[in-house]
Amino acid sequence: MSQTPSNMLALETVAPDFHLKDTNSVDSVVSFLEVKGEKGTLVIFICNHCRFTHHVINEIVMIANDYRVQGIGIVAISSNDIVNYL
């Protein structure tokens, strides 16, 4: 298994717009412009077969609901291998 290096971007880097499949509805797409918050946006990369994700997913949802009303957008992007983990 190969590893991909991670490179942190500078804080306050403007996120590019993206369009990704919305896993909450069939044939729907969500964009960064739809999920971003007026005071900031937290982007979380998760993996739906990861036991750590399963352990914290309910807490992530609670945090997202709490911070959304405060102007912070939160989006979780599933970084699964779609061939092996759809």
Side-chain angles (χ1 to χ4, degrees), residues 3-42:
Q3 295 182 348
T4 302
S6 178
N7 300 310
M8 182 172 166
L9 297 174
L11 295 177
E12 299 186 30
T13 297
V14 176
D17 191 22
F18 55 75
H19 294 83
L20 298 171
K21 183 178 182 315
D22 182 352
T23 59
N24 291 317
S25 61
V26 177
D27 296 329
S28 183
V29 173
V30 67
S31 73
F32 176 70
L33 294 176
E34 294 172 298
V35 298
K36 76 176 191 168
E38 71 177 52
K39 294 184 180 177
T41 307
L42 174 63

Side-chain angles (χ1 to χ4, degrees), residues 3-86:
Q3 295 182 348
T4 302
S6 178
N7 300 310
M8 182 172 166
L9 297 174
L11 295 177
E12 299 186 30
T13 297
V14 176
D17 191 22
F18 55 75
H19 294 83
L20 298 171
K21 183 178 182 315
D22 182 352
T23 59
N24 291 317
S25 61
V26 177
D27 296 329
S28 183
V29 173
V30 67
S31 73
F32 176 70
L33 294 176
E34 294 172 298
V35 298
K36 76 176 191 168
E38 71 177 52
K39 294 184 180 177
T41 307
L42 174 63
V43 179
I44 306 168
F45 290 91
I46 63 172
C47 189
N48 71 4
H49 67 278
C50 173
R51 63 186 173 128
F52 299 109
T53 297
H54 287 258
H55 180 72
V56 299
I57 195 67
N58 290 332
E59 190 67 28
I60 290 172
V61 171
M62 288 190 320
I63 290 169
N65 289 331
D66 288 345
Y67 281 84
R68 180 175 41 94
V69 296
Q70 298 178 44
I72 303 294
I74 298 180
V75 60
I77 298 175
S78 178
S79 55
N80 284 350
D81 173 343
I82 64 169
V83 173
N84 294 310
Y85 302 102
L86 184 59

